[in-house]
Amino acid sequence: MIPPLRRVRQSVGAAGPALAGVIAVAAASAQPTVYTEGVVAADHALASRAGAEMLARGGSAVDAAIATSLTLSVVRPMSCGIGGGGFMLIYDPSRPEGERAVALDYRESAPAAVGTDFFRTLDDPDASRFTGAAAGVPGTVAGLAEAHRRFGALPWADLFGPAIRAAEDGFAVDESYMRSAREAIRWYEADPSRKDRFGFVWRRLLRDGAVAEGDVIRNPEQARALRLIARGGHDAFYTGEIAREIVRAAQDAGGVITAEDLAGYTPRAVRPLEGEFLGRRVLTMPLPSSGGVALIQTLGALERYAARRDATLAQWGPRSPDYLHALTEAFKHAFADRAALLGDTPEARAAAARLISPDALDSIAARIDPDTTQPRGGYGAGLAASPPPDDAGTSHLSVVDGRGMAVACTETINLTFGSRVAVEPFGFCLNNEMDDFTTAPGAVNAFGLRQSDANLPAPGKRPLSSMTPTIALDRAGRVELVAGAAGGPRIITGTAQAVLNVLAFGMSADRAVSAPRIHHQFFPPVLAVEPGLIEPPAPAADAGPAEVMRMVRAVEDGRRIKEALETRGHRLGRIESVGVVQIVRRSGDGFQAASDPRRGGSPAGVRAGRVEADPRIER
Ligand code: GLY
């Protein structure tokens, strides 16, 4: 018997994403909920509810996204927050053509004192990861305020209620929190002096290493920051008491952020990057996101490659070796180009435009050999190229409101609990986004990504990112899909597969996020595969004959996929999780939504004027 979703989700806590294949089956068997007045998918139930609460009060998708983001800052302090930055892609169908789509870039920027050689002069291997110098100038509050100025419908201060409640009343530690906590506790235990130097995270968020599932964490300091920002907006963060404490925290920990850096921070509003896939318009994030470029390259190359072989992706199917081979090859080309060419510079922007041109996409499609992989130098645009811990330092949220406005928003503090340097009086961690720069020629970042001189640090420059907030419009110009992910470079591959699962294979929202995924980032030369794809879990002890037979077939299918990929030259590895995806997808006149079971969380939406959380999902 196929286990009900409730039981499967409890199992995931113990066994992790190894059960992804089962989740896909279980989710597929349930009837999806369709929300007609808006829905939010975030990686924490309280955050989705915060957004849905704003939608039910008549707020726009942007209002909902802001309330969700602020709540995530409290309940996912390891993943994102007001000490970090992000990208928000907004599509508002009620505006005139040409003004409907906006990409807000509120990525952290390098302080004025940071030049190309900055990290090489510090002589500290941890400098770009776990010191005050690792922190870029935070952008989240500026980005949210700008989004609200342009697209908000409710008063700014009203958006803070759920986040302040979560900070003051507390939130329960869940399994996802514990996964990050265990990783961080190991880091503290490896060098106990860190417990003093990075004391807020250790004491408050990890409870001196004794944090346990079900514990209630309160953060009155962050509640105070949120109240100040609710009253004073952007300036309360960038010029007031909070700014002074950010400077103090960063500089006390060896950083160089100044009051001028904070006062001068501005978000950028730019045109989204645009591509086409199977007749849809795909809107996504331009540089300094590498994710948008890679997504358009991957989708464009795959569609063209299938056409060259007189086939469609749907004919091949999501588990076919033909598709998985072509997808892997497309990822390798995209990551090779990322490593060689991309950064926050005018030259890189020109290169990105070339990389997503029809000629370049045709060229990748022509260079995918159906039978084998290429020699190492055969990937990317032919320029010198080369490029992972589990990433819990990022969070994505997807929103659609009842009027069809959509938001795809990905926010980050980079690694789990960011730099671990906290602004203690205000209860939040500073990011360590500086590690996403090319900190030294040839150096790899924490995600194993090698990058070019285009991504060297410079004053005010923003580090290359993998965040890939994406919105697809159907042939009638309506929002069809809102997607994005957390997970370092796996953001790109995770988002791409969720998009393919919906647009090419027609999967429901639940199946599209829970189906097992693959990841290849060109370097290291390994095709990383989630267990659910080729190693289905053993049947439960009480499984009936039909379930046992289904599992036997799944094992055979997995072996067939593995052999077919190895025959084509792929070196397979195992990976527990390829990103954490949140999507909203059209379903008739409404929307389905799904939060990735790899991290937990659940969507919340509005029907008949009432906030509803997905009834099938365990809280
Ligand atoms: N901090 C992860 C990224 O932006 O790619």
Side-chain angles (χ1 to χ4, degrees):
M1 198 187 88
I2 295 171
L5 190 61
R6 172 174 295 245
R7 212 177 95 203
V8 171
R9 289 184 66 81
Q10 287 168 339
S11 312
V12 167
L19 297 185
V22 178
I23 294 166
V25 173
S29 67
Q31 204 53 19
T33 306
V34 176
Y35 300 93
T36 48
E37 292 150 54
V39 63
V40 182
D43 64 28
H44 195 292
L46 285 178
S48 296
R49 276 172 188 269
E53 198 179 309
M54 299 306 143
L55 294 176
R57 284 199 224 162
S60 68
V62 164
D63 291 321
I66 294 169
T68 304
S69 160
L70 294 168
T71 305
L72 286 170
S73 178
V74 176
V75 300
R76 289 281 184 243
M78 69 292 285
S79 304
C80 56
I82 57 178
F87 298 140
M88 189 185 288
L89 189 67
I90 303 161
Y91 184 78
D92 179 0
S94 72
R95 306 218 169 181
E97 181 65 47
E99 294 172 27
R100 290 183 187 157
V102 175
L104 281 182
D105 163 8
Y106 48 97
R107 182 104 167 126
E108 302 90 327
S109 59
V114 174
T116 302
D117 288 336
F118 180 74
F119 287 102
R120 273 179 285 172
T121 61
L122 291 183
D123 194 27
D124 172 359
D126 270 351
S128 67
R129 297 187 190 161
F130 304 117
T131 67
V137 182
T140 292
V141 172
L144 298 183
E146 181 63 14
H148 183 259
R149 191 182 71 74
R150 289 167 176 259
F151 295 95
L154 297 175
W156 168 251
D158 290 9
L159 310 179
F160 287 70
I164 292 172
R165 271 199 315 269
E168 286 179 343
D169 299 349
F171 61 93
V173 169
D174 62 3
E175 168 55 22
S176 167
Y177 191 110
M178 281 308 300
R179 276 198 294 274
S180 298
R182 282 190 286 270
E183 177 200 327
I185 289 167
R186 281 195 296 275
W187 180 83
Y188 278 96
E189 296 297 1
D191 176 356
S193 76
R194 292 170 173 158
K195 296 176 187 174
D196 281 334
R197 287 190 284 134
F198 305 92
F200 182 82
V201 173
W202 177 250
R203 289 190 312 273
R204 176 66 57 80
L205 302 179
L206 300 174
R207 302 210 152 170
D208 295 298
V211 66
E213 202 169 331
D215 283 357
V216 172
I217 306 268
R218 293 189 176 78
N219 193 339
E221 296 89 343
Q222 191 165 152
R224 194 159 79 83
L226 293 171
R227 283 188 194 286
L228 287 172
I229 301 164
R231 268 202 304 276
H234 169 286
D235 289 354
F237 187 86
Y238 289 94
T239 59
E241 193 187 342
I242 302 176
R244 279 194 297 281
E245 292 300 337
I246 292 173
V247 170
R248 191 198 313 270
Q251 294 190 359
D252 284 356
V256 292
I257 294 178
T258 63
E260 291 71 33
D261 287 322
L262 285 161
Y265 183 88
T266 47
R268 303 170 181 164
V270 293
R271 288 180 78 83
L273 211 59
E274 188 165 336
E276 262 185 37
F277 181 61
L278 299 177
R280 278 76 156 203
R281 275 176 75 192
V282 177
L283 307 173
T284 185
M285 198 67 204
L287 288 173
S289 164
S290 64
V293 178
L295 179 75
I296 291 177
Q297 286 181 290
T298 302
L299 299 179
L302 277 178
E303 184 175 357
R304 285 164 166 80
Y305 170 74
R308 289 173 71 89
R309 302 195 62 214
D310 292 325
T312 63
L313 299 172
Q315 282 165 357
W316 286 333
R319 292 175 64 84
S320 67
D322 282 344
Y323 165 70
L324 293 167
H325 169 70
L327 179 63
T328 304
E329 293 296 278
F331 283 151
K332 287 157 77 178
H333 283 288
F335 274 96
D337 286 330
R338 180 195 198 282
L341 295 168
L342 300 185
D344 184 21
T345 64
E347 297 76 21
R349 280 175 229 286
R354 285 200 304 279
L355 291 175
I356 61 166
S357 68
D359 284 353
L361 301 179
D362 286 339
S363 156
I364 295 179
R367 284 182 290 137
I368 297 176
D369 182 328
D371 299 321
T372 187
T373 54
Q374 304 296 315
R376 192 163 182 281
Y379 292 94
L383 296 114
S386 30
D390 251 0
D391 165 55
T394 303
S395 184
H396 177 83
L397 60 105
S398 293
V399 189
V400 171
D401 70 20
R403 293 173 290 275
M405 186 195 290
V407 173
C409 174
T410 316
E411 295 182 334
T412 183
I413 50 175
N414 197 31
L415 301 180
T416 306
F417 296 109
S419 64
R420 298 170 189 179
V421 174
V423 181
E424 292 210 20
F426 291 108
F428 64 90
C429 292
L430 289 174
N431 67 84
N432 55 357
E433 223 66 55
M434 299 299 282
D435 191 62
D436 272 349
F437 278 119
T438 307
T439 52
V444 293
N445 72 8
F447 299 106
L449 291 167
R450 195 166 289 144
Q451 312 176 94
S452 72
D453 287 0
N455 190 37
L456 284 167
K461 192 171 168 182
R462 300 179 185 192
L464 193 59
S465 170
S466 297
M467 296 188 290
T468 314
T470 298
I471 296 172
L473 307 179
D474 66 13
R475 289 180 177 81
R478 302 176 309 172
V479 170
E480 181 170 359
L481 175 66
V482 186
R490 299 169 213 166
I491 291 172
I492 297 173
T493 48
T495 303
Q497 285 167 91
V499 170
L500 285 156
N501 285 347
V502 173
L503 300 187
F505 303 123
M507 290 186 196
S508 69
D510 278 331
R511 284 202 60 177
V513 301
S514 54
R517 299 194 274 260
I518 60 171
H519 175 76
H520 204 303
Q521 61 184 52
F522 182 52
F523 181 84
V526 174
L527 170 55
V529 179
E530 285 185 343
L533 187 70
I534 56 176
E535 300 168 42
D542 60 353
E547 173 65 358
V548 171
M549 276 317 293
R550 202 184 66 74
M551 286 299 181
V552 169
R553 280 197 297 277
V555 169
E556 283 167 3
D557 189 44
R559 192 176 302 133
R560 178 183 63 84
I561 294 170
K562 182 169 181 288
E563 283 172 7
L565 291 171
E566 286 175 344
T567 302
R568 285 166 161 97
H570 299 285
R571 181 144 70 84
L572 266 59
R574 196 173 198 275
I575 192 168
E576 285 305 317
S577 165
V578 177
V580 178
V581 178
Q582 319 293 322
I583 70 169
V584 173
R585 65 151 297 179
R586 179 170 290 279
S587 181
D589 287 333
F591 290 90
Q592 301 169 18
S595 295
D596 199 322
R598 291 164 184 79
R599 191 181 279 175
S602 60
V606 184
R607 293 200 296 182
R610 288 158 52 110
V611 172
E612 269 186 28
D614 190 322
R616 293 166 303 146
I617 306 280
E618 179 111 359
R619 226 99 335 259

